[in-house]
């Protein structure tokens, strides 16, 4: 299985290198457990010259294959499979009071907030001021969801999140958190 994933990863990086006309691995500093910065790995999806998503980059993002290199982060221990997505400095710094609880656990490749905002990029692309919407609506909601996750995490919950991520199954995260049935 590791050989298969490694092969897929190498092929993605190779094609991304050709597509972006630069090395196909993207490395960015993120804030991890206990507020400690670490480098996250992704397959590059933007052209360095134009800062536009490339055709192959669109495919990588829609299939989430651009996240595959984060398995390296899991192997070295800076991330786990499930947990709050790691923020960049500037967002993690805005966590105050009991919101800082999200920094007590390792960030994850997937999580409940990731499931709720699976199509975040598409949603933001339709808005006149995507940054304002992200900062005032999406980010605070992700913090709320991630706080709930940290306070309620267990193996069964992680398995449910992985199941919904891999298949992919659409779930109403807010109904899931409130443990009640909702209409689809």
């Amino acid at each position: 299985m590791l050989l298969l994933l490694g092969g897929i990863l190498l092929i993605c990086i190779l094609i991304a290198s050709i597509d972006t006309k630069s090395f196909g691995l993207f490395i960015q500093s993120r804030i991890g457990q206990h507020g400690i910065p670490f480098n996250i790995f992704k397959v590059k999806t933007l052209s360095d010259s134009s800062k536009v998503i490339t055709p192959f980059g669109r495919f990588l993002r829609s299939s989430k294959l651009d996240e595959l290199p984060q398995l390296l982060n899991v192997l070295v221990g800076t991330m786990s499979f499930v947990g709050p997505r790691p923020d960049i400095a500037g967002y993690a710094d805005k966590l105050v009071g009991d919101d800082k609880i999200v920094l007590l656990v390792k960030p994850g490749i997937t999580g409940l907030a990731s499931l709720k905002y699976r199509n975040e990029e598409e949603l933001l692309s339709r808005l006149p001021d995507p940054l304002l919407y992200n900062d005032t609506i999406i980010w605070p909601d992700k913090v709320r969801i991630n706080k709930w996750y940290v306070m309620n995490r267990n193996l069964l919950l992680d398995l449910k999140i992985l199941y919904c991520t891999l298949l992919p199954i659409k779930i109403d995260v807010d109904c899931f958190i409130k443990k009640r049935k909702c209409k689809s």
Side-chain angles (χ1 to χ4, degrees):
M1 184 62 151
L2 281 176
L3 286 176
L4 177 64
L5 288 173
I8 292 170
L9 176 59
L10 288 175
I11 290 169
C12 287
I13 291 172
L14 178 63
I15 295 172
S17 296
I18 295 166
D19 195 39
T20 63
K21 297 176 180 56
S22 62
F23 182 58
L25 188 65
F26 176 73
I27 302 170
Q28 184 181 50
S29 181
R30 297 285 179 99
I31 304 301
Q33 187 176 26
H34 306 300
I36 299 169
F38 73 99
N39 287 327
I40 195 172
F41 304 107
K42 292 185 172 195
V43 179
K44 190 178 280 187
T45 59
L46 293 176
S47 165
D48 282 346
S49 58
S50 66
K51 302 296 181 206
V52 172
I53 300 173
T54 65
F56 186 62
R58 264 189 294 285
F59 164 74
L60 289 171
R61 286 186 179 192
S62 67
S63 65
K64 305 296 185 193
L65 285 172
D66 63 321
E67 310 281 350
L68 195 56
Q70 289 166 43
L71 293 174
L72 297 171
N73 289 109
V74 173
L75 286 173
V76 299
T78 54
M79 290 181 71
S80 65
F81 286 104
V82 180
R85 289 292 296 158
D87 284 314
I88 59 172
Y91 281 96
D93 303 339
K94 293 178 185 177
L95 295 170
V96 295
D98 64 346
D99 289 351
K100 289 184 177 186
I101 193 173
V102 301
L103 296 175
L104 294 179
V105 299
K106 286 183 184 178
I109 295 175
T110 188
L112 283 174
S114 299
L115 291 175
K116 180 171 183 178
Y117 291 103
R118 186 174 291 198
N119 298 317
E120 177 180 351
E121 195 172 309
E122 179 186 329
L123 168 68
L124 291 174
S125 72
R126 297 182 297 210
L127 298 171
D129 192 342
L131 183 60
L132 178 66
Y133 189 83
N134 180 70
D135 291 353
T136 59
I137 305 296
I138 294 177
W139 190 76
D141 192 39
K142 285 181 176 181
V143 171
R144 175 187 65 84
I145 294 166
N146 289 330
K147 281 172 47 178
W148 183 91
Y149 168 79
V150 172
M151 292 185 290
N152 294 278
R153 69 191 184 117
N154 59 62
L155 180 59
L156 183 59
L157 176 60
D158 285 358
L159 291 173
K160 286 178 183 177
I161 293 168
L162 285 170
Y163 180 77
C164 291
T165 299
L166 294 173
L167 285 187
I169 294 174
K170 184 173 171 54
I171 66 167
D172 186 322
V173 171
D174 293 310
C175 291
F176 183 83
I177 287 173
K178 294 173 184 166
K179 294 183 172 118
R180 61 183 169 92
K181 298 260 185 206
C182 293
K183 295 179 183 174
S184 296

